[in-house]
RNA sequence: GGUGGAGUGGCUGAGCGGCCCAAAGCAGCAGCCUGCAAAGCUGUAAAACCACGGGUUCAAAUCCCGUCUCCACCUCCA
């Protein structure tokens, strides 16, 4: 089965076919580095990392994936001012945190262009739009430049909006002709740092948000590229405006649009005003990055995913079941190959090809785990299932959690107690054995008896 | 007001005309294992009347009409 993708511009499923045979260009809107990442950032990152992985591993395509960094923005300047720090330092620091988080959840992207490195590209694009009659410098002498939405009849095509139905800006000023015209270039303000302004034909200023992505996609992926992705909340106005600008400039722009669903808490979208945001740190305290990644894949990428500690706990359990199998099977089987496309079960392949149907793919994964466990219990060699599971995990970007490092002193004490308990059990002194077990539990150590030995791990 | 999305077992969450007397996970129950546990593994019940009311069809969770409820976007947001 060929890959089917839900194109959120057409609002329907269609077969995926790259513009250039064998290659895929993918642009995903990355974070505005204004404050620490939250669960929503992770969801988007993982959703599109899975897209890239499947294109690479499942379809042997050469994927060029871009995730930009918006490092100049109103919010960055405001937050920096509030914290009395340099805005560039804030942006840099926040970006470091984002990169760490992306790496820990195995969703890093190599191409990470910064808006501030593409100011010249943006100015060039704005000039092109003006020359084509789709943008204008504000007539009030403010130095702002706006996109002329009225000049572009297709405006609203991405989200099926008619300009007259939009609520419209309360403040249709700053030199706008029409309320739905949006800023391409914002004139420097007196109360903002000089470092946040660049020279331009319209005076000193900085780019509007939307033009950044239009300029960067063009600079890095070209005037036509395969897939544009981002969070559902970016569809309007951000992506609508990107599309209008790029098309008005004469570019083909994205061939497919993909939007990931949002993360809610108690059925409501996370937002600062509601104070229900869940930080990445809070999340990682509840489970390994693998378990979090599993949780993010447990619902289809286009649906809303509700956060709750219980749901995370479920994912931790499910992930540990899979990892247990890999550990058990690896001890019995010599399969070392990490990924083999031929080892992917057909239901898994079909699920991934059906618009990245992760829940069904995970069901296929569990089916292989169960079959492998059954083979193990029957004394057989689970090589086939292990190969399948390892290959699926590779596609899913999941790994087997490594044991946590513990200090030697503790290890020695625990080892000694376990030895004493073993001796007691050999003497059938079960009261003493249980007493030692309780003692270990109080130390925060849980032991597990297997037929041949006793293993232990730290709680929590 | 406009534009989209969603309502499926105790919970999470797939399926989107026939293979659905509805996937998978979690929880429950039983068994294996164990000195006993825990952990692990295996198997499995239930009234899931697929929000509600109509309709189309040989056939509907899936399509159509109506109703109710919830969510998102239309300001910055992944």
């Amino acid at each position: 089965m060929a890959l089917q993708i839900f194109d959120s511009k057409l609002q329907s499923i269609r077969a995926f076919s790259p513009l250039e045979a064998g290659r895929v260009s993918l642009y995903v809107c990355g974070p505005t580095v204004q404050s620490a990442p939250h669960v929503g950032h992770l969801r988007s990152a993982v959703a599109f990392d899975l897209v890239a992985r499947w294109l690479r591993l499942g379809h042997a395509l050469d994927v060029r994936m871009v995730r930009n960094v918006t490092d100049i923005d109103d919010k960055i300047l405001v937050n920096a001012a509030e914290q009395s720090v340099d805005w560039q330092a804030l942006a840099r620091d926040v970006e470091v945190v984002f990169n760490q988080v992306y790496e820990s959840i195995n969703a890093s992207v190599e191409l990470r262009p910064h808006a501030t490195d593409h100011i010249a590209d943006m100015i060039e694009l704005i000039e092109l739009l003006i020359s084509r009659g789709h943008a204008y410098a504000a007539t009030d002498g403010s130095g702002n430049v706006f996109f002329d939405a009225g000049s572009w009849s297709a405006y609203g095509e991405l989200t099926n909006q008619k300009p007259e139905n939009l609520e419209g800006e309360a403040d249709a000023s700053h030199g706008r002709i029409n309320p739905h015209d949006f800023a391409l270039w914002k004139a420097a303000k007196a109360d903002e740092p000089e470092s946040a302004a660049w020279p331009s034909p319209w005076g000193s200023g900085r780019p509007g948000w939307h033009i950044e992505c239009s300029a960067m996609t063009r600079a890095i992926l070209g005037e036509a590229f395969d897939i544009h992705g981002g969070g559902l909340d970016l569809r309007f106005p951000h992506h609508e405006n990107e599309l209008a600008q790029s098309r008005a400039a004469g570019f083909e722009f994205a061939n497919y649009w993909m939007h990931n669903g949002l993360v809610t808490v108690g059925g409501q979208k996370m937002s600062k005003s509601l104070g229900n945001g869940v930080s990445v740190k809070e999340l990682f305290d509840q489970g390994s990055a693998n378990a979090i990644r599993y949780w993010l894949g447990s619902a289809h990428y286009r649906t809303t995913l509700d956060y709750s500690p219980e749901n995370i706990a479920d994912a931790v359990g499910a992930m540990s079941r899979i990892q247990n199998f890999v550990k058990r099977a690896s001890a019995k089987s010599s399969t070392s190959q990490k990924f083999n496309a031929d080892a992917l079960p057909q239901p898994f392949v079909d699920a991934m090809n059906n618009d990245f149907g992760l829940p069904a793919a995970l069901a296929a994964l569990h089916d292989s785990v169960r079959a492998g466990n059954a083979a193990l219990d029957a004394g057989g060699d689970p090589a086939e299932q292990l190969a399948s599971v390892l290959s699926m995990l590779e596609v899913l970007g999941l790994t087997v959690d490594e044991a946590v490092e513990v200090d030697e002193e503790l290890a020695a004490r625990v080892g000694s107690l376990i030895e004493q308990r073993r001796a007691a059990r050999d003497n059938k002194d079960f009261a003493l054995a249980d007493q030692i077990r309780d003692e270990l539990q109080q130390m925060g150590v849980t032991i597990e008896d297997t037929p041949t030995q006793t293993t232990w791990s730290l709680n929590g």
Side-chain angles (χ1 to χ4, degrees), chain A residues 39 263-268 270 276-279 282-283 286 292 295 304-312:
Chain A
V39 181
V263 180
T264 57
V265 178
Q268 289 210 301
M270 278 190 280
N276 63 350
V278 177
S279 72
E282 198 177 336
L283 201 60
Q286 298 175 60
I292 302 303
W295 169 64
T304 303
L305 179 66
D306 196 48
Y307 165 84
S308 75
E310 292 75 25
N311 293 347
I312 304 296

Side-chain angles (χ1 to χ4, degrees), chain A residues 54 294 297-298 318 321-322 325 343-353 357-373 384-393 395-396 398:
Chain A
W54 184 239
Y294 180 98
S298 65
R321 176 178 159 80
I322 294 163
F325 165 70
L344 295 173
Q346 197 58 43
F348 180 87
V349 171
D350 290 345
M352 292 303 289
N353 278 337
L358 259 288
L362 291 175
L365 174 62
H366 278 106
D367 286 343
S368 287
V369 167
R370 193 180 323 102
N373 274 323
E384 188 187 328
Q385 289 87 357
L386 180 59
S388 290
V389 168
L390 290 175
S391 295
M392 286 187 272
L393 289 177
V395 169
L396 298 171
L398 297 170

Side-chain angles (χ1 to χ4, degrees), chain A residues 335-348:
Chain A
T335 299
S336 57
Q337 197 164 11
K338 205 173 181 191
F339 177 76
N340 174 7
D342 294 331
L344 295 173
Q346 197 58 43
F348 180 87

Side-chain angles (χ1 to χ4, degrees), chain A residues 135-157:
Chain A
Y136 58 92
T139 49
D140 62 355
S142 61
N144 294 321
V145 181
F146 294 99
F147 182 81
D148 183 357
S151 76
W152 186 245
S153 62
Y155 188 76
E157 62 178 323

